[in-house]
Amino acid sequence: MDKYILEMKGITKTFPSVKALSDVNLSVRPGTIHALVGENGAGKSTLINIISGVYPHGTYEGSYQFNGREMRFRQIREVEREGIACIHQELNLAPELSVAENIFLNEKPTKYGFVDFDAMHFRSKQVLEKIGINTDPTAGGISPEEKVSQLGIGRKQIVEIAKALVKDVKLLLLDEPTAALTEAEVDVLLDILDGLRKSGIAMIYISHRLDEVMRIADDITVLRDGQTVETRARKDMDKDTMISLMVGRELTNLFPKEQHTRGELALEIRNYTVPNPDVPGQNLIENVNLKAYRGEILGISGLMGAGRTELFTAIFGAFRTKGRGEVLIDGEPVTIREPREALERGFVIISEDRKKFGLNLMMSIKENTTMASLRKVSSRYILDQNREVKYTQDYIRDIQIAAPSIDTLVKNLSGGNQQKVVLAKALFCDPRIMILDEPTRGIDVGAKYEIYKIMNQLVDQGVAIIMISSEMEEILGMSDRIVTMSNGRITGEFDGAEATQEILMKASVIGRDEE
């Protein structure tokens, strides 16, 4: 058996005006999980796109060997025939088809020239059970007949893995597979990957969640600025060393928490209820009371499905159903029917899904930054492009957005820089109350640190910040005060200095066992 199933040597990839990869080397051993880590923009996705055939032979320089043979792939199908499969962060599934139809999406079994549905369902059941998944829906399993649209994100990830396994995969590429998963779903996925490793399948695992990397990886390669920094066995790498190699400097404190002085009451919610738009007579949010003050970071903790996003989206006027109850801003009762009215009151929300709700990916940094408050750069309803350029340049400088120019399309930025553009857009609205929903999801430790510093600056300026986060370390590391939610209700309130993971988790599951 070859020492390495995959060997990449001297890989260089250049786009117009930017070199994404420069002389990168990567060697993956059979039957191992090889973690690929680095900041956003380090070149991880570009390298994965070369391996998976998105960038064909001839568009890059260097040697690409798989199973000891030089590969010159021209199409993605050629890559898949060799036994290489890629599971991207944005899943490639047909939601209205069944689990079985998705697993065999491109290669359905046939009989007498027709799709053999019995064989398809039987083989789907086999592959799901092979990775330890129960296929009995009455026992909480995944049925091959079930529509993918009825599955949660964690189960959709499992369907993607099953889809890869029916192609006799030898190397599985996973790009941020746990970014949107709960802790319980992460445990299930990592157990599945461990089982695949034991069966001899090699994997390349990209993740910003470094604790997961330390838990699952055999080997770790660090990329920085499009170059290979170092490759080590996991046993020879600790988390602090990994971070230092990724960012090129020591981050002595991942959470630059500061002492804040609480100011006046900024936002008060009284007896607030949000009806469930999909289930008549049922409420998603039930009788919530909450206060947020200027000069503090209020952390909102809870498990997925607790109702955190629904609560604040409804208050902002952007949810599918209208909430009932009182909302007071600076002590004054307000009625917010749509986001425009919220923005006029200095009430801004940054969505957990920046690509869907926070940005227009086909527009430039400049256009995205100013789009929510065009009045500031207009005179008599005519856009003043000089003012627009000046404002955008100021924000690029202050927030340190890395881009060739303000006219760069947002789709070409790294995740961390996209999130900074979302922040710039929000700051351009002169916020006085700011909701940050999963503000650092899918971005690297260096970009996270910079966003935390911006949060501290805003608090010092008197902005009330409400941070919704599924990362317990982030909640504990940055919050002055923490409120927990479960099943649409407030279940606890804690001083940030006294809260612990155990306390927050206990408060976050209240009511789940009772219902």
Side-chain angles (χ1 to χ4, degrees):
M1 180 181 289
D2 293 318
K3 183 180 179 182
Y4 299 113
I5 188 171
L6 174 74
E7 279 193 279
M8 314 287 288
K9 294 181 179 178
I11 299 296
T12 298
K13 172 67 178 174
T14 303
F15 296 100
S17 76
V18 62
K19 183 174 283 189
L21 296 175
S22 179
D23 198 28
V24 166
N25 300 309
L26 176 69
S27 299
V28 179
R29 296 182 291 130
T32 63
I33 296 178
H34 195 116
L36 193 60
V37 301
E39 294 190 90
N40 286 109
K44 305 183 299 296
S45 294
T46 302
L47 185 59
I48 288 296
N49 284 337
I50 290 174
I51 299 170
S52 62
V54 173
Y55 301 139
H57 178 74
T59 64
Y60 60 89
E61 301 172 26
S63 172
Y64 176 175
Q65 291 192 352
F66 185 68
N67 272 334
R69 296 186 295 115
E70 188 71 25
M71 296 290 110
R72 293 181 171 83
F73 296 123
R74 296 289 184 182
Q75 298 178 11
I76 293 175
R77 280 192 172 275
E78 296 176 31
V79 179
E80 292 175 343
R81 281 197 291 268
E82 287 290 331
I84 301 172
C86 184
I87 299 176
H88 296 281
Q89 187 173 350
E90 286 149 4
L91 303 179
N92 185 26
L93 297 171
E96 293 309 310
L97 296 181
S98 70
V99 169
E101 288 170 315
N102 272 277
I103 290 175
F104 288 92
L105 194 60
N106 298 319
E107 299 177 13
K108 293 181 174 63
T110 59
K111 187 176 183 180
Y112 307 126
F114 297 95
V115 175
D116 188 342
F117 286 98
D118 288 339
M120 186 166 62
H121 290 152
F122 178 74
R123 288 171 59 187
S124 296
K125 189 171 182 288
Q126 280 185 317
V127 72
L128 288 168
E129 290 175 346
K130 179 181 178 181
I131 56 178
I133 299 302
N134 172 22
T135 56
D136 180 1
T138 64
I142 301 176
S143 168
E145 289 81 16
E146 195 170 0
K147 268 191 178 183
V148 163
S149 60
Q150 303 301 313
L151 303 178
I153 187 67
R155 295 186 170 204
K156 288 177 181 175
Q157 284 279 13
I158 292 170
V159 174
E160 278 280 19
I161 292 173
K163 183 176 161 186
L165 293 182
V166 297
K167 299 174 184 175
D168 190 27
V169 67
K170 300 179 181 67
L171 175 65
L172 186 60
L173 316 175
L174 300 116
D175 189 358
E176 296 287 352
T178 64
L181 303 190
T182 65
E183 290 184 19
E185 289 170 334
V186 169
D187 289 339
V188 170
L189 181 63
L190 295 187
D191 285 344
I192 290 171
L193 299 186
D194 186 43
L196 296 179
R197 169 170 51 192
K198 290 173 181 174
S199 70
I201 295 173
M203 284 161 273
I204 296 177
Y205 187 90
I206 296 179
S207 180
H208 289 306
R209 296 184 174 183
L210 303 187
D211 289 329
E212 291 172 15
V213 169
M214 295 301 295
R215 174 178 165 187
I216 195 69
D218 297 292
D219 302 301
I220 300 169
T221 290
V222 180
L223 295 183
R224 186 174 72 238
D225 298 329
Q227 297 180 309
T228 309
V229 177
E230 195 162 341
T231 296
R232 294 187 192 178
R234 181 195 57 190
K235 62 183 177 62
D236 298 326
M237 178 90 76
D238 59 39
K239 187 176 172 182
D240 289 341
T241 301
M242 199 185 333
I243 291 170
S244 178
L245 291 170
M246 285 170 59
V247 302
R249 62 189 187 279
E250 295 288 341
L251 288 182
T252 54
N253 185 355
L254 291 178
F255 303 100
K257 190 171 183 176
E258 297 179 357
Q259 284 295 115
H260 299 135
T261 302
R262 179 194 283 187
E264 297 176 350
L265 181 63
L267 175 69
E268 184 175 4
I269 304 164
R270 295 176 182 171
N271 303 319
Y272 202 80
T273 295
V274 180
N276 188 330
D278 300 316
V279 184
Q282 186 182 92
N283 294 325
L284 283 176
I285 306 299
E286 192 76 52
N287 199 36
V288 163
N289 293 278
L290 185 73
K291 293 181 179 180
Y293 295 85
R294 302 202 181 284
E296 75 167 357
I297 296 176
L298 173 62
I300 309 294
S301 183
L303 301 178
M304 193 169 290
R308 300 166 301 169
T309 296
E310 292 81 357
L311 170 63
F312 290 100
T313 306
I315 294 168
F316 187 69
F319 196 59
R320 289 184 290 158
T321 54
K322 300 301 179 185
R324 302 188 301 267
E326 288 187 88
V327 177
L328 293 86
I329 294 179
D330 296 326
E332 177 189 346
V334 298
T335 299
I336 297 174
R337 292 176 293 269
E338 58 183 25
R340 178 181 57 82
E341 295 176 345
L343 293 175
E344 288 172 352
R345 295 181 177 275
F347 181 18
V348 177
I349 190 168
I350 291 180
S351 168
E352 61 180 334
D353 190 339
R354 60 176 171 266
K355 291 185 177 180
K356 188 173 182 180
F357 297 116
L359 298 167
N360 185 323
L361 298 178
M362 301 307 297
M363 293 174 71
S364 68
I365 296 172
K366 176 182 66 180
E367 292 165 321
N368 272 279
T369 298
T370 60
M371 68 165 60
S373 190
L374 287 172
R375 293 178 183 177
K376 289 180 64 176
V377 288
S378 299
S379 178
R380 296 181 181 178
Y381 301 102
I382 298 174
L383 182 66
D384 185 333
Q385 294 187 351
N386 290 330
R387 284 164 64 189
E388 188 181 30
V389 167
K390 182 183 183 305
Y391 273 117
T392 306
Q393 287 175 335
D394 289 344
Y395 280 110
I396 281 186
R397 182 192 66 240
D398 294 344
I399 301 180
Q400 299 179 356
I401 299 171
S405 78
I406 62 174
D407 294 314
T408 300
L409 296 184
V410 169
K411 71 172 185 177
N412 295 326
L413 300 178
S414 67
N417 283 303
Q418 285 182 352
Q419 189 71 351
K420 288 181 181 179
V421 174
V422 176
L423 266 174
K425 175 184 167 186
L427 295 178
F428 193 65
C429 297
D430 299 321
R432 303 174 71 236
I433 301 167
M434 193 174 231
I435 313 294
L436 303 176
D437 194 351
E438 305 289 357
T440 64
R441 173 176 286 171
I443 64 176
D444 59 76
V445 289
K448 285 184 178 183
Y449 188 82
E450 291 170 359
I451 287 173
Y452 296 146
K453 289 197 297 183
I454 293 169
M455 290 167 60
N456 281 330
Q457 292 167 8
L458 291 171
V459 170
D460 291 341
Q461 294 166 14
V463 177
I465 288 185
I466 300 172
M467 179 181 68
I468 303 169
S469 179
S470 298
E471 292 190 30
M472 199 75 77
E473 288 185 353
E474 184 170 74
I475 285 285
L476 292 168
M478 290 302 297
S479 303
D480 298 297
R481 186 164 54 94
I482 302 168
V483 165
T484 54
M485 289 187 67
S486 178
N487 289 344
R489 299 179 179 89
I490 300 291
T491 57
E493 181 177 330
F494 310 93
D495 184 278
E498 298 173 357
T500 65
Q501 289 199 27
E502 291 76 16
I503 289 172
L504 297 186
M505 183 55 67
K506 184 176 180 180
S508 296
V509 298
I510 289 176
R512 289 176 176 261
D513 296 331
E514 300 168 2
E515 298 187 355

